[in-house]
């Protein structure tokens, strides 16, 4: 997946990129549970892997923001940024939970 340079983006664009990539990941994570429930374990695992790629892009954006702040460049903070951060963090949590659930389902042959 592409690596974004946040230096080329406005603060709003950075937030929307976080929302875009974490939102795509969230959709794939939920879809993975649904396809697993339908009996397609391979597709569920593929969707989780795709979600992890989306989250990798979002995490890289977030890391660039942290690096900027560490270098003394303050990030403009607003409701949009707070929403995008919340979106990213909740999707990361959801991914870990769903991965664990899928492993439990596999071991229990559910």
């Amino acid at each position: 997946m592409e690596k974004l340079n946040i230096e080329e983006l406005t603060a709003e664009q950075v937030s929307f990129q976080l929302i875009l990539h974490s939102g795509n990941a969230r959709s794939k994570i939920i879809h993975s549970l649904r396809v697993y429930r339908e009996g397609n374990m391979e597709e569920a695992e593929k969707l989780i892997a795709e979600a992890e790629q989306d989250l990798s892009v979002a995490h890289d954006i977030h890391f660039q923001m942290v690096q900027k702040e560490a270098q003394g460049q303050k990030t403009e903070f607003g409701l949009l940024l707070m929403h995008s951060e919340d979106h990213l963090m909740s999707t990361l949590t959801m991914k870990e939970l769903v991965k664990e659930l899928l492993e439990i389902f596999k071991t229990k042959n559910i």
Side-chain angles (χ1 to χ4, degrees), residues 24-76:
N24 287 345
R26 181 185 301 248
S27 295
K28 290 171 185 172
I29 291 164
I30 294 298
H31 190 59
S32 74
L33 277 175
R34 291 180 180 141
V35 299
Y36 186 91
R37 186 174 59 210
E38 294 168 359
N40 194 339
M41 185 184 313
E42 289 178 22
E43 181 67 15
E45 290 174 348
K46 179 181 169 231
L47 286 162
I48 293 291
E50 290 175 10
E52 287 178 331
Q53 290 176 344
D54 288 311
L55 283 169
S56 178
V57 174
H59 185 267
D60 183 64
I61 292 167
H62 187 258
F63 185 68
Q64 287 180 62
M65 293 169 66
V66 170
Q67 284 181 317
K68 277 180 63 174
E69 184 108 356
Q71 295 168 354
Q73 300 175 26
K74 295 294 178 192
T75 300
E76 182 181 321

Side-chain angles (χ1 to χ4, degrees), residues 1-109:
M1 224 169 246
E2 77 276 8
K3 178 175 171 63
L4 296 173
N5 180 357
I6 65 170
E7 296 296 328
E8 300 169 356
L9 304 174
T10 66
E12 291 81 13
Q13 289 172 322
V14 170
S15 291
F16 281 120
Q17 286 296 315
L18 282 172
I19 292 167
L20 169 74
H21 292 288
S22 62
N24 287 345
R26 181 185 301 248
S27 295
K28 290 171 185 172
I29 291 164
I30 294 298
H31 190 59
S32 74
L33 277 175
R34 291 180 180 141
V35 299
Y36 186 91
R37 186 174 59 210
E38 294 168 359
N40 194 339
M41 185 184 313
E42 289 178 22
E43 181 67 15
E45 290 174 348
K46 179 181 169 231
L47 286 162
I48 293 291
E50 290 175 10
E52 287 178 331
Q53 290 176 344
D54 288 311
L55 283 169
S56 178
V57 174
H59 185 267
D60 183 64
I61 292 167
H62 187 258
F63 185 68
Q64 287 180 62
M65 293 169 66
V66 170
Q67 284 181 317
K68 277 180 63 174
E69 184 108 356
Q71 295 168 354
Q73 300 175 26
K74 295 294 178 192
T75 300
E76 182 181 321
F77 186 79
L79 187 57
L80 183 59
L81 178 59
M82 186 168 63
H83 174 68
S84 67
E85 288 284 309
D86 181 54
H87 213 283
L88 174 59
M89 295 303 123
S90 64
T91 302
L92 287 167
T93 301
M94 181 184 290
K95 178 197 69 146
E96 293 303 317
L97 179 60
V98 168
K99 283 178 70 173
E100 289 299 319
L101 285 172
L102 291 177
E103 287 301 316
I104 291 169
F105 297 160
K106 279 189 249 180
T107 61
K108 301 287 183 186
N109 292 322

